[in-house]
Amino acid sequence: MPGVLRTAAPRPLLAAVLFTAALLGAALLVGTLSLVRPASLAADLDRFDAGERATERRAVSAEVAGPLVGRARALWRAIGLAAIGEPEVALVVDRFHGRSFHELTAHDAQGRPIALLRLDPATGALASAVRLDFRERLLSGSTDAAAATAVARRTLAALGVRQPEGAPAARAAMNGALWVVSWPRVVGGVPVDRDGTTVRIWRSGGFHSLTVSERPLAAMARRLSVEEARRRLEALLPGLLASGALADARLERLDLRWVAPNDTFAAERADAPGMVLRLAWVAEFRFTGETGERVRALAAWIDAEDGSLLGGDVIR
Amino acid sequence: MHEARWWHRLGPPVLIVSLALALAGPATALAAFQGSVYSNITAFDICDGTPNTTPEKMRKAATAAFAGLGFATGSFTRGDFTKARFLERAATDWAVYVHSHGDFYGGKPGFRVDGGKCSQPVVTSSDIGTRRTGSQRTNLVVMSTCHLGENRTANDMPTVYAIEKVKSGYDTWNGPEFYLGYVGSQWDSDAFAFETLFWDALLGGASVGASFDEALANGAFIADFDANWWGSYSYHGIPGFGQTCARCL
């Protein structure tokens, strides 16, 4: 009988298979459990954690895609791209910034992406456009700040983007390879941190990209005075800087700005900036001495309504 | 005597060898292309009293990206991010990421290591050059520090990694290599946002150059935010001497 049993089911092989299966099963169980979050964190399931993919791409129906493709072709013609094949259309969920876009990608004859644009799904407004077909000749030429600004203005008009108020700033970036022409966003006389309209132009005068950022602002019931903000800052400082670093610190500015709250000083928050901007008193410190050998600057953002610490920033 | 079946004798060893090969194959292949991620956390948390979350986020994002691209990635911070550790691995690195304080020291580009203490030594391009031959290839170098993306003659950080300081465009090819750095002093939040978008585009199948451009266009940055690159625009960040993606040149 033992011989018959071995013939029907070879024991060493069966044992090895069962052992391997058990190991795989255990690994699968542990892996699955590690992905399960407690119910208390259920509301945070969609929040972005560093190391995860920042975007998700979802298909859109032909009915939605059709009009978008027509508009995209017109926009691409405006930045010098013509005769493009059928573009790829997707709904991009930007988990990092907490917003979604219709994204259209143009490809060349070899199937390589050569341009991309993003439209607001609700309003159809152009949020960004970028050419992805860099060639070395874009670095030649002698476009100066005035010429770059003129090109930027013409580009806005061609793309149907409202000309922002005020004079733009033109700044050479990438060691002179790229001109960045920007109209920072200002609301009620207060700058909105990192928002505004930006056009980037290669040294040759060729189009690099356009970005329009206008994030929502919170309604603020009251505003702390600068004296109140200063007192709040003094109370917060011992928790932000050790005494040695404080001695090396110089308060460079304390002024109002709209900022996106972040987790710089609060690890329990999401790893991405807040979606709704809040008015803040921004205290910026610069460092010298021993501290300055490791850290150049630190900014602390104090909520202008309730005095809480909204986050901040660091230059290494 | 019962009838002996071939699997009685061969089954277990064949199974063991098969499993070993299945596991060792990819590991061996990946081990050929080492990636190293370093982030300086101590400079803030201990030395300056600021509980700052950004360096750890940068480390996690870069580690996931390197691993996702296929590099056999080691990740180091605090007491594990020392000058000795960095230089030891520098000899065999195919991909390198550093987030720390960067500057020019005695005219040489460099950065401070962590080491878990406040007296943080500097690693310069000269130090790295002693551990590598001039032609030893590197695929991907990201210096997430101030200044090390500047186009000064003195900035030989790309060249010690055998990455030429040229921008090869869509119609040219300078090998599977890319160097990314920042110009001037940059805020951490801008660098983190930029790198998050850069890694995301790269892992989504875009080339390194297109990922750089997408990150610039799709983020919200301070007006004077400034990053730079050298290498091959159309390289896809895949480890090794060449690449196999359908859309690559």
Side-chain angles (χ1 to χ4, degrees):
Chain A
M1 284 297 105
V4 173
L5 280 175
R6 274 197 296 273
T7 304
R11 278 179 186 162
L13 183 60
L14 184 64
V17 168
L18 287 175
F19 181 68
T20 307
L23 274 180
L24 287 172
L28 192 64
L29 181 65
V30 170
T32 305
L33 288 175
S34 72
L35 295 175
V36 177
R37 294 194 195 193
S40 60
L41 292 177
D44 293 336
L45 282 176
D46 284 337
R47 76 180 213 167
F48 172 79
D49 287 322
E52 296 176 343
R53 290 293 305 276
T55 58
E56 293 171 11
R57 277 175 166 68
R58 298 175 187 167
V60 297
S61 66
E63 291 74 27
V64 172
L68 292 173
V69 168
R71 174 133 187 262
R73 288 189 191 285
L75 293 170
W76 280 324
R77 272 195 300 274
I79 55 171
L81 280 173
I84 290 166
E86 195 59 25
E88 188 181 321
V89 187
L91 178 72
V92 171
V93 179
D94 180 348
R95 297 179 60 231
F96 184 71
H97 290 108
R99 55 195 179 186
S100 297
F101 299 101
H102 282 134
E103 185 177 271
L104 292 99
T105 309
H107 298 90
D108 66 8
Q110 286 79 44
R112 297 176 300 195
I114 54 172
L116 181 150
L117 57 82
R118 285 182 169 184
L119 302 166
D120 186 307
T123 66
L126 182 60
S128 66
V130 56
R131 287 192 65 156
L132 305 173
D133 55 346
F134 171 77
R135 290 159 201 271
E136 288 160 56
R137 65 171 180 269
L138 290 166
L139 301 177
S140 62
S142 55
T143 303
D144 61 12
T149 303
V151 173
R153 285 188 188 282
R154 283 202 301 274
T155 303
L156 289 182
L159 291 173
V161 176
R162 179 180 55 83
Q163 295 272 342
E165 291 177 9
R171 183 184 53 80
M174 292 179 75
N175 302 294
L178 196 68
W179 283 101
V180 181
V181 183
S182 55
W183 287 262
R185 184 182 176 202
V186 178
V187 174
V190 178
V192 183
D193 208 33
R194 295 169 167 82
D195 262 9
T197 301
T198 304
V199 182
R200 299 176 188 85
I201 305 291
W202 288 111
R203 188 193 292 153
S204 64
F207 175 81
H208 174 281
S209 61
L210 159 81
T211 309
V212 181
S213 180
E214 287 196 7
R215 291 168 291 178
L217 309 179
M220 308 289 276
R222 64 183 290 264
R223 183 184 293 189
L224 296 180
S225 68
V226 66
E227 291 78 19
E228 288 173 306
R230 199 175 289 274
R231 280 197 293 276
R232 184 70 188 123
L233 177 63
E234 283 167 9
L236 287 170
L237 269 181
L240 292 177
L241 290 171
S243 55
L246 258 179
D248 288 338
R250 183 183 72 249
L251 181 62
E252 195 87 333
R253 55 192 289 188
L254 179 62
D255 52 18
L256 279 171
R257 260 186 278 168
W258 292 94
V259 300
N262 67 18
D263 66 331
T264 293
F265 307 122
E268 71 279 7
R269 295 184 191 166
D271 289 350
M275 289 176 270
V276 179
L277 277 57
R278 292 189 63 81
L279 189 62
W281 284 101
V282 174
E284 188 177 312
F285 295 90
R286 296 276 164 169
F287 296 95
T288 54
E290 190 188 327
T291 308
E293 289 297 314
R294 297 184 296 272
V295 186
R296 291 180 166 88
L298 179 141
W301 304 339
I302 299 166
D303 192 296
E305 186 177 51
D306 62 17
S308 62
L309 187 61
L310 288 174
D313 218 338
V314 168
I315 299 178
R316 283 164 195 283
Chain B
M1 288 297 291
H2 64 271
E3 188 183 355
R5 303 290 183 184
W6 64 269
W7 58 71
H8 291 166
R9 293 192 195 119
L10 294 179
V14 164
L15 186 66
I16 289 166
V17 169
S18 300
L19 281 173
L21 285 174
L23 294 171
T28 306
L30 288 174
F33 304 109
Q34 174 180 291
S36 301
V37 172
Y38 303 91
S39 190
N40 185 344
I41 292 176
T42 305
F44 282 87
D45 281 0
I46 296 170
C47 306
D48 304 324
T50 311
N52 180 224
T53 58
T54 310
E56 176 61 6
K57 291 192 302 184
M58 308 285 251
R59 187 191 66 77
K60 283 168 65 179
T63 304
F66 275 19
L69 290 168
F71 293 98
T73 306
S75 179
F76 309 94
T77 186
R78 301 188 192 274
D80 291 330
F81 176 14
T82 61
K83 185 168 184 173
R85 167 67 58 77
F86 186 94
L87 293 178
E88 177 197 336
R89 291 178 66 90
T92 46
D93 274 333
W94 282 76
V96 184
Y97 174 91
V98 177
H99 181 70
S100 187
H101 179 99
D103 212 331
F104 287 79
Y105 299 91
K108 284 290 179 186
F111 51 83
R112 291 197 178 274
V113 299
D114 185 318
K117 52 192 178 186
C118 301
S119 55
Q120 302 179 328
V122 169
V123 172
T124 67
S125 58
S126 300
D127 296 324
I128 299 166
T130 62
R131 304 307 305 265
R132 299 179 64 89
T133 64
S135 59
Q136 187 178 347
R137 183 168 287 287
T138 319
N139 289 139
L140 186 57
V141 176
V142 177
M143 286 291 157
S144 178
T145 73
C146 293
H147 297 301
L148 300 192
E150 290 171 7
N151 191 18
R152 309 185 194 182
T153 306
N155 188 5
D156 60 355
M157 191 61 90
T159 51
V160 295
Y161 283 108
I163 297 175
E164 287 180 79
K165 287 169 69 178
V166 297
K167 290 181 172 66
S168 292
Y170 213 56
D171 48 355
T172 53
W173 177 247
N174 201 42
E177 59 187 41
F178 195 75
Y179 179 97
L180 194 162
Y182 295 104
V183 180
S185 299
Q186 299 301 332
W187 293 100
D188 263 4
S189 68
D190 286 322
F192 178 60
F194 180 78
E195 288 169 26
T196 296
L197 302 181
F198 174 78
W199 296 132
D200 187 67
L202 193 54
L203 291 172
S207 72
V208 279
S211 299
F212 183 99
D213 287 339
E214 283 188 38
L216 263 189
N218 293 332
F221 305 110
I222 206 161
D224 57 2
F225 174 72
D226 201 350
N228 196 17
W229 64 270
W230 291 290
S232 292
Y233 188 88
S234 53
Y235 167 51
H236 279 248
I238 298 165
F241 294 93
Q243 50 191 32
T244 54
C245 61
R247 290 175 178 174
C248 301
L249 286 170

